Amino acid sequence: EAQVTQNPRYLITVTGKKLTVTCSQNMNHEYMSWYRQDPGLGLRQIYYSMNVEVTDKGDVPEGYKVSRKEKRNFPLILESPSPNQTSLYFCASKAGDLYNSPLHFGNGTRLTVT
Amino acid sequence: GENVEQHPSTLSVQEGDSAVIKCTYSDSASNYFPWYKQELGKGPQLIIDIRSNVGEKKDQRIAVTLNKTAKHFSLHITETQPEDSAVYFCAASIWETGANSKLTFGKGITLSVRP
């Protein structure tokens, strides 16, 4: 089954403790991206990757890092999480250059930072 | 950058009635407008999209209309059913070859269909 898999689904952590949210897709997609969803703010892009070893900032990249060493994986790293990073996070992927290639989302990771 | 406004923020309709959700965008260069449905506990899923060279597109009970002059587009759901209850997001992007076709999303609308 074609899918984007995120882990974990739920995560509670404390301020300053480094964490990684994993994302993997099995559709051989070139493009991957991370979004955060907050009440009243919708979905905002954190980082994106056009292909392996190519990453760039989205609209809200502060406090996050990503890497794209393999085509299928795109982990999101929070080096020193803070309470304002409490949010619902979505990883997404799509085929690279197709005009209306749909963005496929994972089921989300709900992160709470205390 | 692009700004997408979505209204209303909540909408409640009786089963069988129609629902219309409206979005406006700010960047006249935007040329791709998808709609996503998000069910509880899941990620958003594409339900229909439209390109800027098309004024209307239909898929069974769902249709999307685009007015480029006014810079607004709308989602129309006819004969609503309880399973249509979800959060709906509109989005806009400027598609270019080799570029980040970043979607700018509206804030979402919660649609409730009353049985």
Side-chain angles (χ1 to χ4, degrees):
Chain A
E1 180 190 352
Q3 59 186 358
V4 177
T5 303
Q6 296 178 228
N7 280 296
R9 290 293 309 273
Y10 302 91
L11 181 57
I12 301 173
T13 190
V14 296
T15 300
K17 186 175 181 181
K18 181 180 178 180
L19 67 90
T20 299
V21 183
T22 63
C23 174
S24 180
Q25 50 92 7
N26 62 1
M27 295 167 279
N28 201 36
H29 284 166
E30 292 83 7
Y31 180 96
M32 297 186 75
S33 183
W34 277 100
Y35 286 83
R36 61 178 289 174
Q37 182 177 7
D38 301 288
L41 296 177
L43 290 150
R44 294 178 293 167
Q45 190 183 53
I46 303 171
Y47 266 93
Y48 67 94
S49 170
M50 299 291 289
N51 214 325
V52 176
E53 300 293 0
V54 180
T55 64
D56 210 342
K57 297 177 181 178
D59 293 324
V60 288
E62 294 77 21
Y64 305 96
K65 284 175 58 178
V66 293
S67 70
R68 188 87 183 275
K69 297 183 177 134
E70 309 162 278
K71 198 171 188 179
R72 62 182 294 128
N73 295 325
F74 190 44
L76 180 70
I77 304 154
L78 285 73
E79 294 271 2
S80 183
S82 62
N84 64 11
Q85 292 178 297
T86 292
S87 186
L88 179 57
Y89 292 86
F90 288 101
C91 181
S93 73
K94 74 184 196 80
D97 258 5
L98 297 179
Y99 189 119
N100 60 349
S101 171
L103 200 58
H104 295 263
F105 284 87
N107 282 330
T109 295
R110 185 166 293 280
L111 171 66
T112 302
V113 184
T114 62
Chain B
E2 175 68 279
N3 182 46
V4 176
E5 298 282 343
Q6 191 168 353
H7 39 89
S9 59
T10 61
L11 179 62
S12 180
V13 300
Q14 191 71 38
E15 182 178 358
D17 288 349
S18 294
V20 181
I21 303 168
K22 300 178 182 178
C23 285
T24 60
Y25 61 99
S26 62
D27 193 338
S28 56
S30 288
N31 56 11
Y32 176 60
F33 307 91
W35 284 88
Y36 283 81
K37 176 183 180 183
Q38 185 180 23
E39 297 176 338
L40 199 62
K42 295 188 177 180
Q45 184 173 16
L46 179 73
I47 55 172
I48 195 167
D49 56 14
I50 192 167
R51 307 179 189 180
S52 59
N53 59 349
V54 175
E56 182 176 358
K57 184 177 178 180
K58 289 185 73 172
D59 183 3
Q60 298 180 7
R61 295 187 297 110
I62 293 173
V64 57
T65 58
L66 171 66
N67 183 327
K68 287 192 297 180
T69 304
K71 287 191 279 189
H72 69 71
F73 55 114
S74 300
L75 178 71
H76 305 254
I77 306 174
T78 59
E79 300 172 17
T80 53
Q81 301 166 4
E83 51 265 39
D84 293 328
S85 296
V87 178
Y88 290 81
F89 291 96
C90 61
S93 75
I94 303 170
W95 182 84
E96 299 174 42
T97 302
N100 174 32
S101 52
K102 184 191 78 171
L103 289 174
T104 299
F105 286 86
K107 290 179 171 53
I109 173 178
T110 300
L111 173 65
S112 300
V113 179
R114 304 187 302 273

